[in-house]
Amino acid sequence: MIPLIDLKKNYLGIKDEVLSQINKIFDDCKFIMGENVEKFEKNFADYIGTKYAVAVNSGTAALQLSLLGLGIKNGDEVITVPNSFFATAEAISNVGATPVFCDVNDNTHNINVNKIEDKITKKTKAILPVHLYGHPSDMDSIKEIAKNHNLLVIEDACQAHGAEYKNKKTGAFGDTGCFSFYPSKNLGAFGEGGIITTDNEELFNKLKLLRAHGENPKGTHNISGYNFRLDEIQGAILNIKLKYLDRYNNSRRKNAVLYKNLLTDVPNIESPYEDPFVKHVYHLFVIKTDFRDELSRFLNNKGIGTGIHYPNLIHLQPAYKELGYKLGDFPVSEKISKQILSLPMFPELTEEQIHIVVDKIKEFRL
Ligand SMILES: *Cc1c(COP(=O)(O)O)cnc(C)c1O
């Protein structure tokens, strides 16, 4: 059995550190908004290279608070991609704005910057690129377009902790960067979690208000906000795991190199692309094949976990029926969605396991 992801193996590598931190929190009974979360916000901002970070309780909350904090509201339009996790668009519609989808590149699976300007209208307020699977979007072009049209940029970096575009980390380009700490992410909590990175001090203060009932000082509610707080246990665990994030990502990258080498001559299997000027962090290792469903079933029968990220594009989801999109609107995204298959990928994946996965793929071809 080789799972798509093995969280247990990761836990065993840090078990003693985690349990001692959790014990300490239990002894102190300080569970919410304490020193662990505060320390983590500083550490994470330092790691990404932004001035500030505001921890929240999910990646979805990070996206939603970013949009609210930047003043995006009813009647506004935000340009994003159809081939992401649903939450990317959901955050936009939940603040009352309209997600406007833009097709992606066949190689990076990220937003096609040549098609963004066609989508800009008088109502457009922001571009929300997703660094899908851990491969950064083309941030130079996105920033240039945003500057020319006076648009905000919100990065969905929920799959790209530690990824780099021209030696700068994702999450440090936009007006905000949004991260998820869902357990399976490159930096995963032991529960729900998320964070917003920004260089904007005024926005930082507004995000802190929005996160916790608009309260400051205690007893005074300046604006109507939310309860989107991260808890201390997650803060402590994330502080521990952040120390190892580069090591984890380097292991993922090493695994990706081995996969790619072994898959080079396998017919009808396309390995994931990596731009020469980026550091892809392989949240997922996604191959493309015209025999996706058959191969997936074959591998699952041989005890190898696979996934499809994502089988149904957002513009065709029942929730967005009223937006009026139809099959054929985004030919590249639609083609890719039928070919993609995620193979086992996690830091602790062994060379031997990768050999087994590729041997099974070759067996399928025979
Ligand atoms: C995981 C993810 C989210 C949502 O994060 P949650 O922590 O699950 O709310 C948003 N966008 C992308 C691209 C993601 O992968």
Side-chain angles (χ1 to χ4, degrees):
M1 278 294 292
I2 305 175
L4 183 62
I5 173 170
D6 191 340
L7 291 178
K8 181 82 177 269
K9 237 175 166 180
N10 185 266
Y11 169 57
L12 292 178
I14 52 173
K15 186 173 175 179
D16 293 346
E17 264 181 288
V18 167
L19 291 183
S20 103
Q21 283 296 314
I22 290 180
N23 258 323
K24 196 168 167 301
I25 293 168
F26 280 20
D27 284 342
D28 297 347
C29 283
K30 176 101 175 88
F31 296 112
I32 302 292
M33 300 293 271
E35 59 177 24
N36 287 292
V37 169
E38 215 169 281
K39 209 161 58 177
F40 177 65
E41 290 176 327
K42 291 210 168 65
N43 290 341
F44 195 78
D46 281 350
Y47 177 80
I48 296 300
T50 55
K51 287 193 189 130
Y52 311 103
V54 180
V56 292
N57 56 11
S58 72
T60 308
L63 289 163
Q64 196 172 321
L65 279 203
S66 286
L67 291 157
L68 284 168
L70 290 164
I72 291 166
K73 57 184 186 313
N74 211 1
D76 295 340
E77 293 178 356
V78 177
I79 297 171
T80 192
V81 291
N83 65 334
S84 182
F85 180 57
F86 185 68
T88 305
E90 191 180 32
I92 298 168
S93 46
N94 281 352
V95 305
T98 305
V100 172
F101 299 107
C102 178
D103 212 352
V104 300
N105 299 312
D106 194 17
N107 56 4
T108 62
H109 298 208
N110 285 328
I111 194 162
N112 183 337
V113 295
N114 298 316
K115 294 188 173 167
I116 293 177
E117 282 182 314
D118 295 344
K119 306 289 173 190
I120 296 174
T121 71
K122 283 202 191 82
K123 295 177 177 172
T124 310
K125 287 283 152 48
I127 307 171
L128 202 164
V130 179
H131 307 302
L132 199 71
Y133 311 146
H135 188 298
S137 296
D138 180 358
M139 293 315 296
D140 278 351
S141 305
I142 291 167
K143 295 270 284 186
E144 170 91 14
I145 295 166
K147 191 166 159 240
N148 292 341
H149 296 270
N150 199 20
L151 303 175
L152 299 159
V153 176
I154 297 155
E155 292 175 75
D156 184 337
C158 288
Q159 303 188 356
H161 320 66
E164 291 175 13
Y165 175 89
K166 299 184 180 171
N167 299 315
K168 184 168 154 178
K169 291 213 164 62
T170 57
F173 290 88
D175 292 279
T176 67
C178 304
F179 294 85
S180 163
F181 302 125
Y182 187 77
S184 63
K185 302 291 162 99
N186 290 39
L187 180 58
F190 286 18
E192 305 276 2
I195 205 164
I196 306 163
T197 51
T198 185
D199 281 327
N200 180 335
E201 188 180 4
E202 195 185 327
L203 179 63
F204 168 64
N205 289 320
K206 191 165 172 202
L207 291 171
K208 279 196 294 186
L209 285 179
L210 282 167
R211 168 180 65 184
H213 308 294
E215 191 176 19
N216 184 39
K218 199 164 173 53
T220 304
H221 300 269
N222 302 280
I223 54 173
S224 170
Y226 297 84
N227 175 2
F228 282 168
R229 294 180 300 238
L230 186 72
D231 70 75
E232 280 287 291
I233 292 174
Q234 304 310 331
I237 291 168
L238 288 165
N239 271 319
I240 294 167
K241 289 183 81 173
L242 182 59
K243 289 188 295 181
Y244 305 119
L245 178 58
D246 284 340
R247 201 185 300 173
Y248 293 155
N249 281 339
N250 288 335
S251 295
R252 287 173 183 272
R253 288 176 56 75
K254 209 169 121 232
N255 293 341
V257 169
L258 179 58
Y259 261 130
K260 286 185 190 189
N261 286 338
L262 297 175
L263 287 168
T264 311
D265 295 322
V266 184
N268 216 304
I269 300 287
E270 191 181 326
S271 279
Y273 171 83
E274 179 169 343
D275 271 328
F277 44 84
V278 307
K279 181 178 175 186
H280 189 333
V281 290
Y282 295 94
H283 168 58
L284 295 165
F285 187 85
V286 180
I287 58 166
K288 281 190 279 199
T289 171
D290 292 328
F291 306 100
R292 191 266 308 278
D293 293 341
E294 296 90 325
L295 176 59
S296 168
R297 223 172 297 126
F298 179 85
L299 291 174
N300 296 161
N301 285 335
K302 302 279 177 190
I304 293 166
T306 59
I308 300 172
H309 302 88
Y310 295 88
N312 301 307
L313 294 164
I314 304 176
H315 69 290
L316 301 173
Q317 292 289 350
Y320 288 140
K321 217 163 54 201
E322 288 100 88
L323 295 180
Y325 289 99
K326 58 184 188 317
L327 196 68
D329 285 340
F330 304 106
V332 177
S333 302
E334 289 163 11
K335 178 188 80 93
I336 290 173
S337 73
K338 300 278 180 272
Q339 300 175 309
I340 46 175
L341 185 66
S342 308
L343 299 181
M345 172 56 86
F346 48 91
E348 299 79 11
L349 187 68
T350 64
E351 286 188 19
E352 192 195 346
Q353 287 176 312
I354 295 170
H355 277 277
I356 293 171
V357 174
V358 174
D359 285 345
K360 295 297 173 207
I361 292 173
K362 286 179 175 165
E363 216 176 280
F364 169 77
R365 299 291 310 130
L366 293 173

